[in-house]
């Protein structure tokens, strides 16, 4: 499928369950701004979310046009063969959406929920990330922030992304809220578990905001920061939990 430049929005469900969709391309002068998503909440017995490409199980990779500003809830949910998302140079993407419903247990939907993405690179243009934005990325092992990115990851940003071990923000920065990397293993559980973070590389010379409960056990994890900032990070809330703090 090739999306012409006249398209400004791909609405929720537009290509849902197109299991034969193997390739998705955009015209070189793309003006697409929104890859949509929608959801219905606890007014239903079972909440659900539907995105523009939900359930496109044969889709293997997508290059997001620079013109795109918003990636909606569940935009690529259930695209089980989707192994990479690439943001074009000079990306204007500002917002990545997710949603979680707090009933007797949490039902979460992320933009790339259930995909095969192992490494996700986020552009510096991003200014707004929802809680649950990267939920249920069960093969995700590494997140990379582009040069000069400065992103705040709110509570449950990486909910149930249980294989995430590394964040590379060598020339960038990010802040983290309570439970940014937390999730519940089972329905009705009251015990929080955390992504098994092993290494964070962070280029900020001043420690960004990080709540102590953003991460789980960091006793065996390494934080790499600018050499002149090592001592300050060792005293900073949240960051001081890392077992090893050393220079980049």
């Amino acid at each position: 499928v090739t999306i012409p430049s006249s398209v400004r929005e791909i609405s929720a469900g537009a290509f849902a369950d197109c299991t034969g969709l193997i390739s998705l391309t955009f015209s070189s002068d793309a003006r697409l701004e929104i890859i949509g998503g929608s959801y219905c909440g606890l007014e239903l017995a079972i909440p659900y979310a539907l995105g523009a490409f939900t359930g496109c199980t044969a889709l293997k990779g997508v290059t997001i046009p620079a013109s795109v500003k918003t990636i909606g809830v569940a935009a690529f949910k259930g695209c089980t063969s989707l192994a990479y998302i690439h943001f074009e140079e000079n990306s204007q993407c500002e917002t990545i959406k997710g949603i979680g419903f707090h009933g007797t247990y949490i039902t979460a939907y992320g933009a790339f929920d259930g995909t095969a993405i192992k490494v996700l690179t986020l552009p510096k243009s991003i200014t707004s990330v929802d809680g649950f934005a990267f939920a249920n990325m069960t093969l995700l092992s590494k997140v990379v922030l582009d040069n000069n990115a400065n992103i705040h990851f709110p509570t449950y940003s990486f909910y149930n992304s249980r294989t995430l071990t590394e964040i590379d923000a060598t020339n960038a920065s990010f802040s983290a809220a309570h439970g940014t990397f937390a999730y519940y293993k089972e329905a009705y559980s009251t015990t929080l578990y955390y992504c098994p973070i092993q290494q964070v590389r962070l280029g900020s010379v001043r420690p960004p905001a990080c709540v102590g409960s953003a991460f789980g056990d960091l006793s065996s994890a390494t934080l790499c920061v600018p050499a002149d900032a090592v001592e300050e990070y060792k005293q900073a809330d949240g960051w001081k939990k890392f077992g090893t703090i050393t220079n980049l």
Side-chain angles (χ1 to χ4, degrees):
V1 171
T2 298
I3 307 298
S5 61
S6 57
V7 175
R8 298 294 183 91
E9 177 179 357
I10 302 175
S11 60
F15 293 92
D17 298 322
C18 290
T19 55
L21 180 61
I22 298 173
S23 173
L24 177 65
T25 58
F26 300 87
S27 62
S28 59
D29 58 344
R31 293 183 290 171
L32 181 69
E33 295 185 359
I34 300 172
I35 299 176
S38 66
Y39 59 89
C40 289
L42 293 175
E43 64 273 15
L44 300 178
I46 301 176
Y48 78 93
L50 181 69
F53 297 98
T54 293
C56 294
T57 53
L59 190 60
K60 298 182 184 299
V62 176
T63 294
I64 306 294
S67 58
V68 169
K69 295 182 178 179
T70 300
I71 298 177
V73 173
F76 295 95
K77 177 182 179 292
C79 295
T80 52
S81 299
L82 186 65
Y84 76 88
I85 287 284
H86 171 69
F87 290 86
E88 277 188 343
E89 189 175 357
N90 299 317
S91 173
Q92 299 175 44
C93 187
E94 300 172 346
T95 303
I96 299 180
K97 293 185 169 293
I99 190 70
F101 302 101
H102 297 255
T104 50
Y105 59 95
I106 292 178
T107 302
Y109 301 101
F112 310 108
D113 191 313
T115 61
I117 296 170
K118 294 182 179 179
V119 178
L120 179 66
T121 299
L122 301 175
K124 65 180 181 181
S125 55
I126 291 177
T127 57
S128 176
V129 169
D130 283 358
F132 303 98
F134 308 106
N136 302 319
M137 297 183 70
T138 53
L139 296 179
L140 183 67
S141 63
K142 182 177 182 179
V143 173
V144 179
L145 274 60
D146 267 352
N147 291 352
N148 301 313
N150 188 0
I151 301 174
H152 174 65
F153 294 118
T155 300
Y156 296 142
S157 290
F158 295 92
Y159 189 86
N160 200 37
S161 294
R162 304 183 186 192
T163 56
L164 179 60
T165 60
E166 183 178 355
I167 302 171
D168 187 350
T170 299
N171 297 300
S173 184
F174 71 90
S175 56
H178 164 69
T180 290
F181 301 95
Y183 62 92
Y184 294 101
K185 276 189 177 180
E186 300 170 344
Y188 311 107
S189 172
T190 58
T191 302
L192 276 175
Y193 294 83
Y194 289 83
C195 303
I197 300 296
Q198 291 300 306
Q199 184 181 77
V200 172
R201 300 173 64 85
L202 186 57
S204 177
V205 295
R206 296 295 303 274
C210 180
V211 177
S213 55
F215 299 93
D217 179 15
L218 295 172
S219 59
S220 62
T222 299
L223 173 64
C224 302
V225 298
D228 293 344
V230 169
E231 294 306 316
E232 189 170 357
Y233 274 89
K234 287 181 177 180
Q235 304 301 319
D237 287 346
W239 306 113
K240 64 185 179 183
K241 293 177 61 179
F242 279 81
T244 301
I245 300 179
T246 187
N247 56 290
L248 285 166

